[in-house]
Amino acid sequence: MIPAKFDYAAPATVEEALGLLAEHGDEAKVIAGGQSLLPVLRMRLNAPELVVDLGRIESLRGIRVDGDTVTIGAMTPYHEILADETVRERCTLLHQAITEVADPQIRHRGTLGGALVHADPAGDCGAPVLAMDAELVVTGPGGERVVPAAEFFEGLFTTAVGEDELLTAIRVPAYDGWGSHYEKFVRIAHQWPIVAVAAQVRTEGGSIAEARIGLTNMGATPLRASAVEAGLVGAATTQEAVRAACDRAAEGTDPPSDLNGDADYRRHLATVLTRRAVLAAVGG
């Protein structure tokens, strides 16, 4: 299909972009890499009067290290994140998840910030960002504010970013010394995950000291598997101990039912994939 007619603007600064959003309100739509928005426009699920392209704003791109925090500009494309050794070594879970995003063409154009604001519950980036306790920097008319990942995803395709605001950066804590793994289940290659699990674990001796588990496509937003996290603390790194904790992975979830599987199927998958992810993270 062909999108409805719209005007187009490509501001060079965040301030210019915010001015356009303030002027046009809910008739404006922001485009980042376009890998989520363009299909929506083509299907006429959204028909904005103005599309504001952030691609020329250089201040929104790049990766820098601030002590124990890795700051990623919201317009940094996936392929640049994958090529960054700091992300690979210090934010390994995020790196692992991004390697599973779609295909090389999508990873070349798509951006981390665009995916997070789109907030598709089946997207690969939300669960690891949530599990890593990242902070999202949101900029609006009143300046910057920092939103914890736990408060960022508010509902289906809905985030804490207001209509007159932009997500400008993602601050990810460095998890040096932690093990991590992203386990994704699909029927065909490059598909959205039917269910996926983002796990990172810190061990001491032969037991688990800390665990952070994020779930993909198990509700209207990415979720933390809190019951599993609590059950893993102090547990041995054996298959039996990990299985016992991971059997609670579906607690508190509300997975969808669709052509790829019903809710009960997804609940079962969540327990299996969480066990696999945790065992891989601890090297078991």
Side-chain angles (χ1 to χ4, degrees), residues 81-157:
I81 298 173
L82 291 176
D84 190 272
E85 285 301 317
T86 299
V87 175
R88 182 192 298 269
E89 295 174 2
R90 308 194 69 188
C91 306
T92 308
L93 179 60
L94 180 62
H95 182 276
Q96 291 169 333
I98 291 177
T99 62
E100 297 291 334
V101 172
D103 54 40
Q105 287 179 311
I106 297 294
R107 293 194 293 271
H108 186 77
R109 290 292 304 169
T111 65
L112 177 59
L116 294 175
V117 174
H118 184 56
D120 190 324
D124 288 292
C125 297
V129 165
L130 187 63
M132 299 182 81
D133 287 326
E135 294 180 333
L136 294 303
V137 181
V138 178
T139 304
E144 287 187 354
R145 60 189 181 95
V146 178
V147 182
E151 301 173 10
F152 184 77
F153 302 102
E154 296 183 342
L156 185 65
F157 299 109

Side-chain angles (χ1 to χ4, degrees), residues 34-192:
Q35 303 309 293
S36 298
L37 179 61
L38 288 179
V40 170
L41 296 181
R42 284 200 301 268
M43 291 184 287
R44 299 202 177 195
L45 298 175
N46 197 304
E49 291 182 359
L50 175 70
V51 170
V52 180
D53 187 348
L54 305 182
R56 292 180 57 204
I57 305 178
E58 288 300 321
S59 64
L60 296 182
R61 298 174 69 113
I63 300 167
R64 69 177 187 273
V65 180
D66 303 306
D68 290 331
T69 300
V70 179
T71 300
I72 303 172
M75 282 294 292
T76 307
Y78 295 130
H79 76 94
E80 290 185 14
I81 298 173
L82 291 176
D84 190 272
E85 285 301 317
T86 299
V87 175
R88 182 192 298 269
E89 295 174 2
R90 308 194 69 188
C91 306
T92 308
L93 179 60
L94 180 62
H95 182 276
Q96 291 169 333
I98 291 177
T99 62
E100 297 291 334
V101 172
D103 54 40
Q105 287 179 311
I106 297 294
R107 293 194 293 271
H108 186 77
R109 290 292 304 169
T111 65
L112 177 59
L116 294 175
V117 174
H118 184 56
D120 190 324
D124 288 292
C125 297
V129 165
L130 187 63
M132 299 182 81
D133 287 326
E135 294 180 333
L136 294 303
V137 181
V138 178
T139 304
E144 287 187 354
R145 60 189 181 95
V146 178
V147 182
E151 301 173 10
F152 184 77
F153 302 102
E154 296 183 342
L156 185 65
F157 299 109
T158 307
T159 71
V161 180
E163 291 181 350
D164 60 348
E165 295 180 313
L166 296 172
L167 174 64
T168 51
I170 301 94
R171 297 174 180 168
V172 186
Y175 284 87
D176 302 322
W178 289 59
S180 63
H181 186 73
Y182 185 68
E183 186 76 17
K184 175 177 177 177
F185 184 82
V186 297
R187 290 188 300 108
I188 56 176
H190 311 317
Q191 187 185 32
W192 295 102

